[in-house]
mmCIF file of all heavy atoms in Angstrom:
data_model
loop_
_atom_site.group_PDB
_atom_site.id
_atom_site.type_symbol
_atom_site.label_atom_id
_atom_site.label_comp_id
_atom_site.label_asym_id
_atom_site.label_seq_id
_atom_site.Cartn_x
_atom_site.Cartn_y
_atom_site.Cartn_z
ATOM 1 N N VAL A 908 -141.816 -139.790 97.403
ATOM 2 C CA VAL A 908 -142.542 -140.330 96.293
ATOM 3 C C VAL A 908 -142.452 -141.869 96.073
ATOM 4 O O VAL A 908 -143.181 -142.462 95.337
ATOM 5 C CB VAL A 908 -142.359 -139.646 94.972
ATOM 6 C CG1 VAL A 908 -142.662 -138.086 95.102
ATOM 7 C CG2 VAL A 908 -140.820 -139.677 94.429
ATOM 8 N N GLY A 909 -141.411 -142.371 96.796
ATOM 9 C CA GLY A 909 -141.242 -143.903 96.568
ATOM 10 C C GLY A 909 -140.757 -144.272 95.134
ATOM 11 O O GLY A 909 -141.052 -145.415 94.730
ATOM 12 N N ASP A 910 -140.130 -143.413 94.469
ATOM 13 C CA ASP A 910 -139.722 -143.790 93.012
ATOM 14 C C ASP A 910 -138.340 -142.929 92.707
ATOM 15 O O ASP A 910 -138.391 -141.905 92.603
ATOM 16 C CB ASP A 910 -140.845 -143.313 92.135
ATOM 17 C CG ASP A 910 -140.505 -143.544 90.565
ATOM 18 O OD1 ASP A 910 -139.550 -144.203 90.346
ATOM 19 O OD2 ASP A 910 -141.296 -143.241 89.754
ATOM 20 N N ASP A 911 -137.237 -143.726 92.462
ATOM 21 C CA ASP A 911 -136.130 -143.098 92.204
ATOM 22 C C ASP A 911 -135.830 -142.913 90.734
ATOM 23 O O ASP A 911 -135.017 -142.053 90.407
ATOM 24 C CB ASP A 911 -134.929 -143.977 92.764
ATOM 25 C CG ASP A 911 -133.633 -143.333 92.624
ATOM 26 O OD1 ASP A 911 -133.550 -142.147 92.895
ATOM 27 O OD2 ASP A 911 -132.582 -143.946 92.166
ATOM 28 N N SER A 912 -136.754 -143.542 89.798
ATOM 29 C CA SER A 912 -136.430 -143.484 88.500
ATOM 30 C C SER A 912 -136.733 -142.135 87.779
ATOM 31 O O SER A 912 -136.151 -141.821 86.804
ATOM 32 C CB SER A 912 -137.374 -144.641 87.765
ATOM 33 O OG SER A 912 -138.847 -144.315 88.004
ATOM 34 N N ARG A 913 -137.589 -141.354 88.457
ATOM 35 C CA ARG A 913 -137.945 -140.085 87.929
ATOM 36 C C ARG A 913 -137.265 -138.951 88.647
ATOM 37 O O ARG A 913 -137.509 -137.715 88.231
ATOM 38 C CB ARG A 913 -139.377 -139.812 87.931
ATOM 39 C CG ARG A 913 -140.275 -140.742 87.185
ATOM 40 C CD ARG A 913 -141.799 -140.352 87.132
ATOM 41 N NE ARG A 913 -142.287 -140.361 88.548
ATOM 42 C CZ ARG A 913 -142.966 -139.467 89.031
ATOM 43 N NH1 ARG A 913 -143.006 -138.237 88.429
ATOM 44 N NH2 ARG A 913 -143.490 -139.528 90.165
ATOM 45 N N VAL A 914 -136.352 -139.149 89.638
ATOM 46 C CA VAL A 914 -135.720 -138.032 90.297
ATOM 47 C C VAL A 914 -134.277 -137.845 89.858
ATOM 48 O O VAL A 914 -133.458 -138.735 89.680
ATOM 49 C CB VAL A 914 -135.705 -138.443 91.865
ATOM 50 C CG1 VAL A 914 -135.074 -137.241 92.710
ATOM 51 C CG2 VAL A 914 -137.128 -138.755 92.437
ATOM 52 N N ARG A 915 -133.995 -136.551 89.563
ATOM 53 C CA ARG A 915 -132.718 -136.072 89.068
ATOM 54 C C ARG A 915 -132.210 -134.963 89.911
ATOM 55 O O ARG A 915 -132.838 -134.326 90.629
ATOM 56 C CB ARG A 915 -132.909 -135.562 87.581
ATOM 57 C CG ARG A 915 -133.525 -136.610 86.606
ATOM 58 C CD ARG A 915 -132.508 -137.788 86.376
ATOM 59 N NE ARG A 915 -132.990 -138.443 85.146
ATOM 60 C CZ ARG A 915 -133.915 -139.537 85.427
ATOM 61 N NH1 ARG A 915 -134.267 -139.984 86.564
ATOM 62 N NH2 ARG A 915 -134.241 -140.260 84.379
ATOM 63 N N VAL A 916 -130.889 -134.768 89.760
ATOM 64 C CA VAL A 916 -130.270 -133.617 90.448
ATOM 65 C C VAL A 916 -129.527 -132.688 89.417
ATOM 66 O O VAL A 916 -128.884 -133.215 88.533
ATOM 67 C CB VAL A 916 -129.123 -134.011 91.463
ATOM 68 C CG1 VAL A 916 -128.311 -132.879 91.984
ATOM 69 C CG2 VAL A 916 -129.812 -134.779 92.710
ATOM 70 N N VAL A 917 -129.902 -131.460 89.495
ATOM 71 C CA VAL A 917 -129.135 -130.547 88.588
ATOM 72 C C VAL A 917 -128.685 -129.385 89.459
ATOM 73 O O VAL A 917 -129.448 -128.604 90.176
ATOM 74 C CB VAL A 917 -130.131 -130.031 87.464
ATOM 75 C CG1 VAL A 917 -129.455 -128.751 86.641
ATOM 76 C CG2 VAL A 917 -130.502 -131.024 86.547
ATOM 77 N N TYR A 918 -127.354 -129.145 89.418
ATOM 78 C CA TYR A 918 -126.798 -127.978 90.271
ATOM 79 C C TYR A 918 -127.221 -126.599 89.575
ATOM 80 O O TYR A 918 -127.250 -126.485 88.464
ATOM 81 C CB TYR A 918 -125.234 -128.079 90.332
ATOM 82 C CG TYR A 918 -124.744 -129.118 91.312
ATOM 83 C CD1 TYR A 918 -123.571 -129.563 91.226
ATOM 84 C CD2 TYR A 918 -125.645 -129.493 92.485
ATOM 85 C CE1 TYR A 918 -122.983 -130.402 92.090
ATOM 86 C CE2 TYR A 918 -125.062 -130.387 93.279
ATOM 87 C CZ TYR A 918 -123.879 -130.843 93.101
ATOM 88 O OH TYR A 918 -123.352 -131.771 94.081
ATOM 89 N N THR A 919 -127.761 -125.718 90.436
ATOM 90 C CA THR A 919 -128.132 -124.414 89.951
ATOM 91 C C THR A 919 -126.819 -123.649 89.572
ATOM 92 O O THR A 919 -125.781 -123.674 90.107
ATOM 93 C CB THR A 919 -128.812 -123.643 91.095
ATOM 94 O OG1 THR A 919 -129.872 -124.302 91.578
ATOM 95 C CG2 THR A 919 -129.160 -122.155 90.714
ATOM 96 N N GLY A 920 -126.941 -122.920 88.500
ATOM 97 C CA GLY A 920 -125.890 -122.101 87.916
ATOM 98 C C GLY A 920 -126.149 -120.592 88.425
ATOM 99 O O GLY A 920 -127.206 -120.138 88.480
ATOM 100 N N VAL A 921 -124.901 -120.021 88.500
ATOM 101 C CA VAL A 921 -124.968 -118.474 88.989
ATOM 102 C C VAL A 921 -123.991 -117.848 87.964
ATOM 103 O O VAL A 921 -123.026 -118.423 87.513
ATOM 104 C CB VAL A 921 -124.550 -118.326 90.378
ATOM 105 C CG1 VAL A 921 -125.612 -118.775 91.393
ATOM 106 C CG2 VAL A 921 -123.250 -119.029 90.676
ATOM 107 N N PRO A 922 -124.176 -116.471 87.880
ATOM 108 C CA PRO A 922 -123.212 -115.728 86.995
ATOM 109 C C PRO A 922 -121.827 -115.646 87.662
ATOM 110 O O PRO A 922 -121.762 -115.646 88.877
ATOM 111 C CB PRO A 922 -123.784 -114.325 86.988
ATOM 112 C CG PRO A 922 -124.726 -114.295 88.063
ATOM 113 C CD PRO A 922 -125.177 -115.566 88.369
ATOM 114 N N LEU A 923 -120.820 -115.809 86.902
ATOM 115 C CA LEU A 923 -119.401 -115.699 87.466
ATOM 116 C C LEU A 923 -119.065 -114.279 87.423
ATOM 117 O O LEU A 923 -118.801 -113.581 86.388
ATOM 118 C CB LEU A 923 -118.480 -116.605 86.597
ATOM 119 C CG LEU A 923 -118.811 -118.091 86.618
ATOM 120 C CD1 LEU A 923 -117.881 -118.792 85.631
ATOM 121 C CD2 LEU A 923 -118.682 -118.563 88.050
ATOM 122 N N PHE A 924 -119.121 -113.603 88.548
ATOM 123 C CA PHE A 924 -118.906 -112.204 88.660
ATOM 124 C C PHE A 924 -117.508 -111.815 88.262
ATOM 125 O O PHE A 924 -116.421 -112.537 88.502
ATOM 126 C CB PHE A 924 -119.161 -111.766 90.107
ATOM 127 C CG PHE A 924 -120.552 -111.984 90.624
ATOM 128 C CD1 PHE A 924 -120.866 -112.632 91.745
ATOM 129 C CD2 PHE A 924 -121.579 -111.620 89.843
ATOM 130 C CE1 PHE A 924 -122.085 -112.862 92.263
ATOM 131 C CE2 PHE A 924 -122.910 -111.743 90.256
ATOM 132 C CZ PHE A 924 -123.145 -112.409 91.465
ATOM 133 N N ASP A 925 -117.383 -110.647 87.676
ATOM 134 C CA ASP A 925 -116.006 -110.147 87.245
ATOM 135 C C ASP A 925 -115.264 -109.593 88.467
ATOM 136 O O ASP A 925 -115.567 -108.622 88.876
ATOM 137 C CB ASP A 925 -116.213 -109.072 86.314
ATOM 138 C CG ASP A 925 -114.967 -108.367 85.701
ATOM 139 O OD1 ASP A 925 -113.961 -108.934 86.112
ATOM 140 O OD2 ASP A 925 -115.076 -107.402 84.876
ATOM 141 N N LEU A 926 -114.282 -110.396 88.853
ATOM 142 C CA LEU A 926 -113.645 -110.047 90.103
ATOM 143 C C LEU A 926 -112.578 -108.779 89.831
ATOM 144 O O LEU A 926 -112.272 -108.136 90.822
ATOM 145 C CB LEU A 926 -112.717 -111.155 90.413
ATOM 146 C CG LEU A 926 -113.391 -112.394 90.818
ATOM 147 C CD1 LEU A 926 -112.390 -113.461 91.398
ATOM 148 C CD2 LEU A 926 -114.484 -112.253 91.944
ATOM 149 N N GLY A 927 -112.478 -108.418 88.530
ATOM 150 C CA GLY A 927 -111.765 -107.143 88.277
ATOM 151 C C GLY A 927 -112.588 -106.001 88.769
ATOM 152 O O GLY A 927 -111.907 -104.850 88.931
ATOM 153 N N MET A 928 -113.871 -106.060 89.061
ATOM 154 C CA MET A 928 -114.659 -104.963 89.492
ATOM 155 C C MET A 928 -114.760 -104.851 91.060
ATOM 156 O O MET A 928 -115.434 -104.089 91.549
ATOM 157 C CB MET A 928 -116.096 -105.039 88.998
ATOM 158 C CG MET A 928 -116.167 -104.974 87.445
ATOM 159 S SD MET A 928 -115.654 -103.282 86.889
ATOM 160 C CE MET A 928 -116.939 -102.294 87.675
ATOM 161 N N ARG A 929 -114.056 -105.767 91.808
ATOM 162 C CA ARG A 929 -114.178 -105.993 93.120
ATOM 163 C C ARG A 929 -113.785 -104.590 93.777
ATOM 164 O O ARG A 929 -114.543 -104.025 94.668
ATOM 165 C CB ARG A 929 -113.263 -107.086 93.661
ATOM 166 C CG ARG A 929 -113.605 -107.289 95.187
ATOM 167 C CD ARG A 929 -112.393 -107.926 95.825
ATOM 168 N NE ARG A 929 -112.132 -109.266 95.239
ATOM 169 C CZ ARG A 929 -112.686 -110.354 95.649
ATOM 170 N NH1 ARG A 929 -113.336 -110.546 96.745
ATOM 171 N NH2 ARG A 929 -112.222 -111.527 95.136
ATOM 172 N N GLU A 930 -112.595 -104.204 93.598
ATOM 173 C CA GLU A 930 -112.149 -102.974 94.424
ATOM 174 C C GLU A 930 -112.899 -101.814 94.147
ATOM 175 O O GLU A 930 -113.197 -101.192 95.108
ATOM 176 C CB GLU A 930 -110.498 -102.715 94.089
ATOM 177 C CG GLU A 930 -109.609 -103.921 94.429
ATOM 178 C CD GLU A 930 -109.905 -104.330 96.027
ATOM 179 O OE1 GLU A 930 -110.079 -103.377 96.880
ATOM 180 O OE2 GLU A 930 -109.912 -105.434 96.332
ATOM 181 N N PRO A 931 -113.207 -101.309 92.952
ATOM 182 C CA PRO A 931 -113.899 -100.034 92.898
ATOM 183 C C PRO A 931 -115.409 -100.195 93.455
ATOM 184 O O PRO A 931 -115.863 -99.234 94.276
ATOM 185 C CB PRO A 931 -114.112 -99.803 91.330
ATOM 186 C CG PRO A 931 -113.755 -101.116 90.724
ATOM 187 C CD PRO A 931 -112.785 -101.710 91.720
ATOM 188 N N LEU A 932 -116.031 -101.464 93.309
ATOM 189 C CA LEU A 932 -117.433 -101.674 93.914
ATOM 190 C C LEU A 932 -117.325 -101.691 95.421
ATOM 191 O O LEU A 932 -118.175 -101.233 96.184
ATOM 192 C CB LEU A 932 -117.940 -102.872 93.400
ATOM 193 C CG LEU A 932 -118.499 -102.728 91.903
ATOM 194 C CD1 LEU A 932 -119.107 -104.065 91.455
ATOM 195 C CD2 LEU A 932 -119.583 -101.641 91.833
ATOM 196 N N ARG A 933 -116.261 -102.241 95.943
ATOM 197 C CA ARG A 933 -115.963 -102.477 97.323
ATOM 198 C C ARG A 933 -115.757 -101.322 97.968
ATOM 199 O O ARG A 933 -116.436 -100.880 99.051
ATOM 200 C CB ARG A 933 -114.805 -103.367 97.631
ATOM 201 C CG ARG A 933 -114.349 -103.679 98.974
ATOM 202 C CD ARG A 933 -113.170 -104.354 99.105
ATOM 203 N NE ARG A 933 -112.568 -104.558 100.513
ATOM 204 C CZ ARG A 933 -112.983 -105.491 101.395
ATOM 205 N NH1 ARG A 933 -113.948 -106.407 100.972
ATOM 206 N NH2 ARG A 933 -112.610 -105.681 102.533
#
């Protein structure tokens, strides 16, 4: 676009999975 003033970066968020459920689900 030839314009840096309007461009931003936002990292996408994801749910932090409950690792305590790993073994039964696995």
Side-chain angles (χ1 to χ4, degrees):
V908 299
D910 179 5
D911 188 42
S912 65
R913 292 189 297 128
V914 180
R915 304 287 190 274
V916 168
V917 174
Y918 282 157
T919 302
V921 291
L923 295 175
F924 299 130
D925 181 2
L926 299 184
M928 293 296 297
R929 185 204 302 267
E930 291 310 315
L932 288 177
R933 177 182 176 86

